[in-house]
Amino acid sequence: MNKRLNIELVKKAMDSLGFNNSQVSERLMVSRTIVGEWLAGKKFPRPDKLVRLGMLLRLPHSDLVVDDVPLEAAFNFRKKAHRALTDAHFAGALKKAMLLDSISDYLPDAALEVPPVLKRPLMDYAYIQKAVAMVRGLADKSLTDVINYSDLVNIIHAYDVVPVPVFWGVTSSKDNDAHALYIESPRSKREWMYINMDSYLLDFKFWVAHEIGHIITKCTCDVDLSEEFAELFAQSFLFPEEIAAKAYKDLVGLDANQLVAEMIALADPLFISPYTIYKSVNSYATENGYDQLEKLNSSYIVIKKYVEKKSTLIEKLRSDSAHSLAGEDDYLPPEVYVYLAETYFKTPIFDSLRKFLGETSRGDGFLQSLFDIQTVEAKELHYYLTH
């Protein structure tokens, strides 16, 4: 539900203080048209104008605004190819949050407590390394241990975040151009993480680690800062300072071709992208005033091909599963989708949906909007969950 002015109370305060629209517009340095649109409920004041309006009319924020911001869900995206966020992205996320809230009562009870979150996230390099050590500790991992896929899933569950595995394609040409989406909903007091199972294997770790960066900040910082923090956290989480320092000595001074070859050799046993190593090592160099690694330029294509050669997460999960679940390459039956999601991500969402759909008789359109899938896929999934 959108926030809006308590128009009746605002008008009453204006009358009491002898203000008309023109006087309010002069005091707040906006046009009379804007004030008229506020009082007609057509527009909502910007934060700075809202504060000044409250001061002018001597109204506390709780009286001035109805359905205030704390009741709105908070979102963080991991976009494909760093695509720009639009109003459509936020509208889609808000709709998903509302749908997720409607099934929240069918989930298992929330955890009584969760691990620590960062009260005041900082961009300081040393601070981020401490955050990395804290979160790695949740998976009983030292700063030199390899992070496995199961470790990431366990961390998500430790924070009582519900995984929502989806298939959103591997390129930005797909209809849904997000790799991951984290939703924190004050209404249901639940947190959700959409995870794109079509991600390339090596990218997947980074994108989930990126979303964990959002989880531990609990949306306490603005969008740009939150994204930057999550990026720096993810690269250091997968390739911490201790191993970045050692790698720097081996990588500095190499030309681009040599650099890529050495980073691939380092990345292979860790099962991460060489580009994650590149970013982490350069962050270490910046912190210590050292020279940056050679620019990759066109050599980046070699890394891209290396990552794509490893296939996607869903391809690996299907190959690791029983032969009877393999299915056709271009088709994933709903029973296989649900089995893989529940087995590897331990998500309770499908069991909750079974109960919700059974009691409410909601149709396949609900699933189509919830998972961003085609009509045919939604019908098949709906039939599987209700029979």
Side-chain angles (χ1 to χ4, degrees):
M1 191 176 295
N2 294 327
K3 54 190 175 182
R4 62 183 185 275
L5 283 179
N6 189 336
I7 296 172
E8 183 178 348
L9 193 59
V10 168
K11 289 181 177 180
K12 186 179 294 185
M14 287 174 60
D15 290 340
S16 175
L17 295 169
F19 289 135
N20 57 31
N21 287 15
S22 295
Q23 291 169 317
V24 171
S25 70
E26 289 174 5
R27 297 291 187 94
L28 300 186
M29 293 183 289
V30 297
S31 70
R32 284 182 298 173
T33 301
I34 289 293
V35 173
E37 290 178 333
W38 289 349
L39 297 180
K42 294 179 179 179
K43 288 189 177 180
F44 187 80
R46 295 201 315 263
D48 59 327
K49 302 301 182 185
L50 183 65
V51 171
R52 294 183 62 191
L53 179 63
M55 294 174 64
L56 177 66
L57 301 181
R58 303 171 189 173
L59 291 175
H61 195 266
S62 57
D63 289 342
L64 187 64
V65 176
V66 179
D67 295 321
D68 197 9
V69 175
L71 291 181
E72 294 182 346
F75 315 109
N76 286 110
F77 298 82
R78 172 66 193 184
K79 305 301 296 174
K80 295 177 183 176
H82 299 286
R83 293 278 296 275
L85 293 173
T86 66
D87 289 343
H89 290 125
F90 286 98
L94 179 60
K95 184 174 183 179
K96 289 181 178 63
M98 294 173 65
L99 296 177
L100 290 167
D101 281 345
S102 67
I103 66 171
S104 61
D105 288 342
Y106 297 84
L107 291 170
D109 292 338
L112 292 176
E113 59 181 8
V114 296
V117 295
L118 307 180
K119 188 174 182 179
R120 297 184 182 88
L122 302 175
M123 297 308 301
D124 178 72
Y125 182 81
Y127 178 90
I128 290 175
Q129 298 306 314
K130 291 179 181 178
V132 164
M134 177 189 77
V135 179
R136 274 180 163 251
L138 298 176
D140 293 323
K141 296 290 183 178
S142 73
L143 291 176
T144 56
D145 286 337
V146 176
I147 295 294
N148 300 311
Y149 298 107
S150 58
D151 297 322
L152 294 169
V153 172
N154 289 339
I155 291 169
I156 293 171
H157 282 285
Y159 280 96
D160 201 31
V161 176
V162 180
V164 186
V166 291
F167 297 97
W168 286 346
V170 295
T171 70
S172 57
S173 63
K174 298 292 183 179
D175 290 339
N176 193 309
D177 58 2
H179 279 306
L181 168 63
Y182 167 60
I183 298 175
E184 181 186 356
S185 176
R187 290 184 181 276
S188 62
K189 294 181 171 57
R190 288 285 188 171
E191 297 170 57
W192 316 80
M193 185 191 291
Y194 280 81
I195 301 172
N196 181 20
M197 295 172 71
D198 276 331
S199 304
Y200 288 118
L201 275 172
L202 302 189
D203 287 338
F204 171 79
K205 279 188 180 181
F206 189 90
W207 292 326
V208 175
H210 175 101
E211 294 306 310
I212 290 174
H214 288 309
I215 290 172
I216 63 174
T217 59
K218 299 286 287 185
C219 299
T220 54
C221 41
D222 64 56
V223 173
D224 291 337
L225 178 60
S226 179
E227 282 300 304
E228 188 177 356
F229 179 90
E231 286 290 295
L232 294 174
F233 172 84
Q235 68 191 36
S236 291
F237 182 73
L238 298 176
F239 204 75
E241 180 181 22
E242 187 169 339
I243 51 179
K246 184 178 184 300
Y248 179 80
K249 297 177 182 178
D250 298 328
L251 300 176
V252 68
L254 299 181
D255 64 37
N257 291 334
Q258 294 171 325
L259 180 58
V260 168
E262 288 299 317
M263 289 193 302
I264 287 176
L266 288 172
D268 207 50
L270 300 177
F271 223 71
I272 61 175
S273 169
Y275 195 57
T276 298
I277 294 176
Y278 184 77
K279 292 190 290 187
S280 180
V281 171
N282 269 340
S283 292
Y284 165 80
T286 298
E287 172 67 13
N288 291 279
Y290 299 152
D291 292 337
Q292 297 284 287
L293 301 180
E294 185 72 20
K295 291 184 178 179
L296 296 178
N297 297 325
S298 60
S299 296
Y300 175 73
I301 300 300
V302 178
I303 292 179
K304 186 174 184 293
K305 290 181 178 178
Y306 169 79
V307 170
E308 294 176 356
K309 186 179 179 181
K310 297 291 185 180
S311 74
T312 63
L313 174 63
I314 186 58
E315 289 170 344
K316 175 175 171 53
L317 297 184
R318 291 174 73 170
S319 66
D320 289 349
S321 300
H323 177 71
S324 60
L325 292 176
E328 301 175 10
D329 289 341
D330 58 349
Y331 174 69
L332 191 71
E335 63 270 20
V336 178
Y337 165 43
V338 173
Y339 171 81
L340 294 176
E342 291 182 333
T343 300
Y344 291 97
F345 291 93
K346 305 174 186 175
T347 179
I349 191 169
F350 295 105
D351 189 49
S352 301
L353 278 169
R354 290 184 183 97
K355 299 172 184 175
F356 171 79
L357 295 173
E359 291 187 13
T360 63
S361 300
R362 295 293 293 268
D364 51 82
F366 182 92
L367 299 179
Q368 184 175 1
S369 297
L370 182 65
F371 293 109
D372 265 344
I373 54 180
Q374 299 299 315
T375 303
V376 173
E377 297 170 323
K379 288 182 180 298
E380 292 181 344
L381 180 58
H382 187 274
Y383 181 85
Y384 174 71
L385 293 175
T386 56
H387 288 77

